[in-house]
Amino acid sequence: MDKEKLKEICERLPGITHDYQVDWQADRYHVGGKMFAMLGGDAERKPIITLKCEPNRAVELRETYKSIVPGYYMNKTHWNSLYLESDLSVDIFENLIVHSYNLVFEKLTKKAQKEIVAE
């Protein structure tokens, strides 16, 4: 998976902000000030994207795809990391980015949600 394509998918979601965490060498994407995606690398600098995921779905995905592992440097219950150099389809990446975004968005206050939708 192309890193630029993943950035494009993240950036077209409503109300997102982006920053670069120098210490982690990672691009981070937020909605309402809360992170939903991080593009970086694992301990061996293999490119990954780390995404929030509903816990039961996270386990199911890890059991189904060897390229999806517990979230690197994150809470393993709520986050998965997907290796970019894998056989995962664009649809899987896109669906899981949107799933992560929605999980975070739904936890925002109603006021914050309305402000984002109104942008």
Side-chain angles (χ1 to χ4, degrees), residues 52-106:
K52 194 164 186 86
C53 191
E54 187 278 319
N56 291 331
R57 186 174 184 192
V59 171
E60 182 182 311
L61 288 163
R62 293 175 202 159
E63 291 172 351
T64 305
Y65 303 101
K66 65 179 180 160
S67 300
I68 299 179
V69 298
Y72 180 73
Y73 206 68
M74 301 296 274
N75 180 316
K76 311 294 187 232
T77 302
H78 298 279
W79 294 85
N80 277 341
S81 291
L82 291 69
Y83 282 95
L84 275 54
E85 297 168 0
S86 69
D87 58 356
L88 297 172
S89 70
V90 173
D91 285 344
I92 290 172
F93 280 98
E94 188 163 10
N95 289 338
L96 292 177
I97 288 170
V98 171
H99 174 67
S100 179
Y101 172 90
N102 287 335
L103 285 174
V104 174
F105 182 84
E106 290 167 4

